[in-house]
Amino acid sequence: MSLFTGTTTYYRQFRPGIPDDVAALLDQAAPARPDGGRRLLDVGTGTGLVAEALLERFDDIIAIDNDTEMLAAAESALRPKLPAGSHLSLVETTAEDFTPPSGWQAELVTICRAFHWLDQPTVLNLLDQQVAPDGVVAIFGDNSFWAAGSDWKEAVRDVVKSFLGEQRRAGSGTFQHHNRPYSEIMEESPFNEVEEVRVPVERTWNAESILGYLYSTSFAAPHLFGDRLKDFEAAVKKRLADFSDDDIFPEENEFLIRLGRRGRDAGL
């Protein structure tokens, strides 16, 4: 069973997309080819949120994921929006097993909200053959609800814990936290020249979208609650009522973007 079994519909509808400011930053970071085109490799594409944000900025996109349902959702969302003359391939594979077409190299690789699931050193080393000489690897994401950061999110997390236990779930197991900053890991890879950029983002939620977001995650997927799902929904709504009279919950978040390029000493 996938870590995200049963989450696809919620993921597409309730996971926040990629802000224009983040898409513009990624666009500016990636070099152009002499022919004016550019290639994008989106690793762990899920339902295609990153590829969607960059669809107008790259004319040759390969988006990979190992979840069949996620890729089907990405296909349905992206294919109708694909600009004329552009090419999009959705490939069911892990990052560790992916092999691009012969001679294909990306100007930009994006790994959004997914790096923690990967064999990180292995994937970064494999990308050395899959990225153009002056290409960029972008590892980025915003803070999940589990990280809390506000009173109402802490309250929601407490409700999740009361139903599923103190440790953060990851499907049938528990999530293993990485104790090293991603930039340090990148600095030990071929992409060892690392730039960090932070892009603030403000959002507004309501009880429905908060529950939808939770059901899009591996730590609060609907199947984890079994026959207590309705009880969980009621408990979340009751707790949220302590923080708003009008079902509006503001959030201040940020995207931390790590841009990795090959440095002079890469691979040494």
Side-chain angles (χ1 to χ4, degrees):
M1 179 182 290
S2 166
L3 291 174
F4 290 92
T5 295
T7 69
T8 300
T9 300
Y10 299 104
Y11 202 109
R12 185 67 208 176
Q13 183 175 355
F14 294 107
R15 277 291 178 107
I18 306 305
D20 290 342
D21 288 350
V22 173
L25 188 151
L26 296 170
D27 177 29
Q28 293 164 9
R33 294 203 314 272
D35 62 5
R38 288 191 301 179
R39 294 169 172 170
L40 168 68
L41 173 61
D42 186 31
V43 176
T45 194
T47 61
L49 295 177
V50 173
E52 184 174 18
L54 297 173
L55 212 56
E56 300 281 348
R57 304 171 190 261
F58 293 80
D59 64 341
D60 190 354
I61 299 174
I62 297 178
I64 69 173
D65 203 284
N66 64 351
D67 189 299
T68 304
E69 292 183 0
M70 291 279 190
L71 284 177
E75 172 72 28
S76 297
L78 300 180
R79 191 67 61 185
K81 300 178 181 178
L82 188 65
S86 294
H87 184 262
L88 170 67
S89 295
L90 297 166
V91 181
E92 184 177 348
T93 183
T94 64
E96 293 82 357
D97 292 331
F98 172 66
T99 301
S102 178
W104 195 96
Q105 291 186 314
E107 277 66 49
L108 177 66
V109 175
T110 48
I111 307 175
C112 180
R113 302 169 178 153
F115 195 56
H116 52 287
W117 300 121
L118 307 181
D119 181 340
Q120 298 161 351
T122 295
V123 170
L124 288 170
N125 282 320
L126 288 171
L127 287 175
D128 194 24
Q129 303 301 315
Q130 301 170 9
V131 176
D134 54 352
V136 178
V137 175
I139 298 171
F140 61 107
D142 47 354
N143 291 319
S144 82
F145 277 16
W146 193 269
S150 68
D151 290 345
W152 67 262
K153 283 197 280 189
E154 289 179 9
V156 168
R157 184 180 61 185
D158 287 344
V159 175
V160 174
K161 288 182 176 181
S162 71
F163 277 77
L164 299 179
E166 285 294 316
Q167 289 187 297
R168 176 176 169 176
R169 294 289 293 271
S172 59
T174 57
F175 181 74
Q176 301 301 311
H177 292 273
H178 295 274
N179 56 10
R180 296 184 63 206
Y182 290 166
S183 291
E184 286 186 9
I185 297 169
M186 296 177 76
E187 287 167 357
E188 296 172 358
S189 80
F191 305 94
N192 61 1
E193 192 173 279
V194 183
E195 175 187 5
E196 289 191 355
V197 184
R198 296 177 185 269
V199 179
V201 59
E202 295 182 357
R203 305 182 181 116
T204 300
W205 301 80
N206 58 27
E208 179 187 7
S209 61
I210 289 168
L211 284 166
Y213 170 86
L214 290 172
Y215 294 157
S216 78
T217 69
S218 62
F219 65 79
H223 70 87
L224 296 176
F225 296 94
D227 59 5
R228 303 183 69 200
L229 187 63
K230 293 299 182 184
D231 293 337
F232 172 71
E233 291 182 0
V236 168
K237 291 176 180 178
K238 181 179 179 180
R239 196 71 182 88
L240 284 172
D242 293 336
F243 298 91
S244 175
D245 295 327
D246 55 5
D247 195 29
I248 295 175
F249 303 91
E251 178 196 19
E252 292 184 1
N253 208 321
E254 69 173 10
F255 277 82
L256 173 54
I257 305 165
R258 305 159 185 89
L259 301 172
R261 299 174 174 87
R262 293 181 181 89
R264 186 172 301 174
D265 299 324
L268 299 182

